[in-house]
Amino acid sequence: VMPGAEELPSPEDFADMAASGVRFIDLFAHHWPLHLLERWSVFELIVAINHVLPERELFHLTSLIREGSNRISMLEASVISQEDYGKPLTFGDIATYRALADASQVPLLIPTQKLIQTEDLHMLDFEGIGGIMLGVIVTGRSPGSIEKVTRDFRLAIEDIIKD
């Protein structure tokens, strides 16, 4: 669950999420209050970064992840600027993801801010990638398109794993 940004849920809402079985909390690093590390130890944590995080801060963030809580499971690379949402994946994007994967001590989660297609997956098959998070840019909004795209990605990933 990505429970918010500047305004986070109340402690009661976090307790409700935990009681309902939510196990992962995904927050942008610049919105993430440190008390989540200690107070909500039931959750594994995903740290999301955006495109404005300078390289030096990224280095320090990954150092904090490396030294910090083992509950930080993934680094979400939400690094595509909004004006590039929905555009095809580029070699520059792949280079950015590789650099982030190399810098991070936890697996990289790539959200589909770009129009990633199943035939692009082989370019994202490198060490440090923990997963692709399919979003509306790729899946569309209808139940049928979400089901079809999710199935197509699943089959394509299974083919890559077999190789």
Side-chain angles (χ1 to χ4, degrees):
V1 170
M2 187 171 234
E6 289 97 6
E7 187 176 327
L8 292 175
S10 69
E12 293 80 19
D13 291 333
F14 277 109
D16 288 346
M17 282 187 271
S20 69
V22 171
R23 293 294 171 248
F24 288 90
I25 296 292
D26 184 352
L27 290 172
F28 278 99
H30 59 281
H31 294 147
W32 191 0
L34 293 177
H35 70 80
L36 280 180
L37 280 174
E38 301 304 324
R39 187 168 184 195
W40 299 106
S41 60
V42 65
F43 299 115
E44 290 190 53
L45 305 169
I46 298 172
V47 178
I49 57 170
N50 64 15
H51 69 284
V52 297
L53 186 70
E55 188 173 328
R56 184 169 181 211
E57 287 182 27
L58 173 64
F59 172 79
H60 290 295
L61 175 63
T62 57
S63 294
L64 287 169
I65 291 171
R66 185 172 43 248
E67 297 162 6
S69 169
N70 61 3
R71 291 182 13 254
I72 299 174
S73 301
M74 296 184 111
L75 178 67
E76 180 187 332
S78 292
V79 294
I80 303 301
S81 62
Q82 195 160 14
E83 60 267 11
D84 287 332
Y85 281 14
K87 293 181 180 176
L89 195 64
T90 67
F91 283 109
D93 299 327
I94 299 297
T96 298
Y97 295 141
R98 283 184 182 251
L100 289 170
D102 287 348
S104 180
Q105 298 299 309
V106 294
L108 193 67
L109 178 63
I110 299 174
T112 55
Q113 297 172 302
K114 287 286 194 100
L115 186 60
I116 298 174
Q117 300 183 15
T118 55
E119 57 266 17
D120 298 329
L121 291 176
H122 71 281
M123 294 294 292
L124 295 171
D125 182 25
F126 54 85
E127 190 171 332
I129 297 297
I132 307 288
M133 183 168 46
L134 299 178
V136 70
I137 287 173
V138 170
T139 64
R141 295 185 186 279
S142 75
S145 68
I146 293 168
E147 188 277 331
K148 181 188 181 322
V149 169
T150 303
R151 181 177 8 91
D152 291 347
F153 268 79
R154 169 76 185 253
L155 293 171
I157 290 168
E158 286 177 358
D159 284 344
I160 291 170
I161 292 170
K162 282 191 257 184
D163 291 340

